[in-house]
Amino acid sequence: MSALLRRTKKKPADRVVTLLGKPGCHLCEEARTVVSAVCEETGASWVEKDITRDEALYKEYWEQIPVVLIDDEQHTFWRVDPARLRTALRT
């Protein structure tokens, strides 16, 4: 198999989850709870970014927040399924 076709499996501890949201967003608060719990459980690190403080993020994601990225790639938006996030961090 070509090296280009093989995916390297990362350990959850090597993954970075980014939660994009804004203050006063109830869905963002729910997402924060899920992301925090799953990352604590799996060992992944996570950061939160406020789209109201970054014009580029605001333009790209304002209709979708909260948005969850894994290693800078969009994983989900609006509602965060803990089982799906857990699975994604382990692949």
Side-chain angles (χ1 to χ4, degrees):
M1 180 184 291
S2 165
L4 292 174
L5 297 178
R6 272 184 260 142
R7 282 182 47 175
T8 357
K9 187 174 179 180
K10 289 185 174 182
K11 297 176 188 171
D14 297 331
R15 311 301 294 269
V16 178
V17 177
T18 304
L19 174 60
L20 305 175
K22 69 177 186 176
C25 167
H26 74 282
L27 289 178
C28 299
E29 292 173 18
E30 291 174 16
R32 182 182 307 111
T33 301
V34 172
V35 168
S36 175
V38 171
C39 287
E40 184 176 329
E41 173 189 324
T42 62
S45 60
W46 74 282
V47 296
E48 186 170 359
K49 293 186 179 179
D50 178 352
I51 66 164
T52 65
R53 297 182 176 266
D54 184 313
E55 190 174 337
L57 289 177
Y58 185 85
K59 284 180 180 179
E60 187 167 355
Y61 296 110
W62 72 274
E63 289 183 311
Q64 298 178 352
I65 63 164
V67 175
V68 175
L69 310 175
I70 298 176
D71 298 332
D72 296 322
E73 292 186 24
Q74 189 167 342
H75 168 70
T76 195
F77 61 97
W78 294 338
R79 301 265 183 208
V80 184
D81 180 321
R84 183 170 176 260
L85 180 57
R86 213 175 280 115
T87 299
L89 289 171
R90 292 183 175 138
T91 59

